[in-house]
């Protein structure tokens, strides 16, 4: 009887832990080609984490500029939708990798980091926009 009671208690305890649904955020490093596919298939938020000066020199269409080095970066990212995928890019990948970790810590669900940044995007011959 004690064994049955112990087994039932154990099963009940395990079932409680399995019912708990946690959203795990993940960071996926993507190529420029993968990014193009995502832009076509998903409703994504694109964030250029370079400085405003760098952004003005050329940016990926549809991106918004949130400077990683800005003292308000963590506050600025709260304007993004945590439930929608986010693609981050910078010049070569360093700042976007750090920014991706901050988004993960802030509870964003799906985060993509452009491998090689806008430098790799340009190298592949993909289009950049300017304010002119």
């Amino acid at each position: 009887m004690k064994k049955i009671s112990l087994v039932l208690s154990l099963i009940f305890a395990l079932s409680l832990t399995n019912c708990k649904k946690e959203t795990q955020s993940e960071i996926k490093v993507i190529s420029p080609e993968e990014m193009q596919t995502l832009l076509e298939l998903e409703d994504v938020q694109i964030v250029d984490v370079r400085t405003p000066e760098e952004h003005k020199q050329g940016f990926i269409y549809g991106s918004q500029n949130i400077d990683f080095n800005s003292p308000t970066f963590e506050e600025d990212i709260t304007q993004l939708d945590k439930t929608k995928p986010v693609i981050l890019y910078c010049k070569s990948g360093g700042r976007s990798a750090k920014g991706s970790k901050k988004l993960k810590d802030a509870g964003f669900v799906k985060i993509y980091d452009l491998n090689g940044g806008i430098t790799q995007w340009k190298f592949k011959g993909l289009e950049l926009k300017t304010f002119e």
Side-chain angles (χ1 to χ4, degrees), residues 52-114:
E53 294 76 26
E54 290 174 294
H55 184 76
K56 286 176 190 168
Q57 294 172 4
F59 54 91
I60 297 171
Y61 178 77
S63 65
Q64 57 184 303
N65 186 219
I66 302 177
D67 183 356
F68 177 75
N69 293 323
S70 168
T72 61
F73 180 78
E74 290 182 28
E75 179 184 327
D76 295 341
I77 62 174
T78 63
Q79 304 303 313
L80 299 169
D81 184 345
K82 291 182 180 185
T83 64
K84 287 173 63 175
V86 182
I87 300 173
L88 272 72
Y89 73 90
C90 62
K91 182 178 179 183
S92 60
R95 288 173 281 179
S96 60
K98 292 175 188 173
S100 294
K101 288 180 184 155
K102 288 195 181 238
L103 263 65
K104 182 176 180 176
D105 293 343
F108 284 78
V109 179
K110 200 180 260 188
I111 307 154
Y112 298 100
D113 180 9
L114 179 59

